[in-house]
Amino acid sequence: MNPGLWTAATRTHFAHPGNRFYPALVAAGILPWLPQFAAGLDDAERATIVEAGVGIANLVDRATARADELDRAELRAGAERLADLVAEHRPAVVAVAGITAYRQGFGRAKAVSGEQPEGIAGARLWVVPNPSGLNAHDTVASLSRAYAEPARAAGIPGAGGDAPLA
């Protein structure tokens, strides 16, 4: 959706020490190792993540403490920019982290998590849970299962959803 304050400070997506994004990617079999993300990733780590088939973009570039500080106009503009980015880079699959941001940004008030019927700029589209610690009901295990599904659809080798944390 947008960078949190820790992400903005470290210039690394999902960098807050309590964030479950990278642990969930490892548990899903998408990444082979757990990067030391809290202090920020170096260029080699970023390259390895991209080589694993993961790209990360913000819907909104403005950093906030909470996603609910964003307004619908920002999210809608971000959804349009994302469509342009997808059209340019042509990934097979896009996953948006956060159902509320997806509903507001894409104008799909009744959307549910999982694969979306409409896709985006020729790519298959999933809505997956936001890994933020503020989304407390999801665990690394439940996030890994949710993230493994679009990863398998994208053909990411090893994506399964129940790998042990390394």
Side-chain angles (χ1 to χ4, degrees):
M1 291 182 289
N2 75 306
L5 300 178
W6 195 289
T7 289
T10 61
R11 298 181 326 118
T12 295
H13 294 281
F14 304 109
H16 190 277
N19 197 294
R20 295 155 301 166
F21 181 71
Y22 296 104
L25 292 183
V26 172
I30 298 166
L31 290 181
W33 91 111
L34 184 61
Q36 300 303 306
F37 56 89
L41 300 175
D42 64 29
D43 289 342
E45 290 171 313
R46 291 176 199 279
T48 301
I49 290 168
V50 170
E51 288 167 10
V54 178
I56 304 171
N58 294 320
L59 283 182
V60 177
D61 288 330
R62 182 170 66 91
T64 61
R66 299 176 53 96
D68 61 9
E69 295 175 45
L70 302 174
D71 65 42
R72 287 179 192 216
E74 288 177 292
L75 290 166
R76 286 190 179 128
E80 291 175 16
R81 282 191 306 277
L82 179 62
D84 292 343
L85 188 66
V86 172
E88 178 183 345
H89 292 280
R90 298 282 183 214
V93 172
V94 172
V96 174
I99 187 70
T100 301
Y102 175 77
R103 287 174 177 160
Q104 291 178 0
F106 289 80
R108 306 273 192 245
K110 298 191 187 278
V112 297
S113 293
E115 187 171 9
Q116 304 303 300
E118 66 275 0
I120 182 171
R124 293 172 70 183
L125 175 64
W126 264 261
V127 176
V128 297
N130 186 324
S132 166
L134 299 173
N135 186 11
H137 64 275
D138 275 300
T139 65
V140 169
S142 67
L143 291 169
S144 74
R145 288 188 296 275
Y147 298 170
E149 187 177 0
R152 281 191 301 270
I156 293 177
D162 293 312
L165 284 176

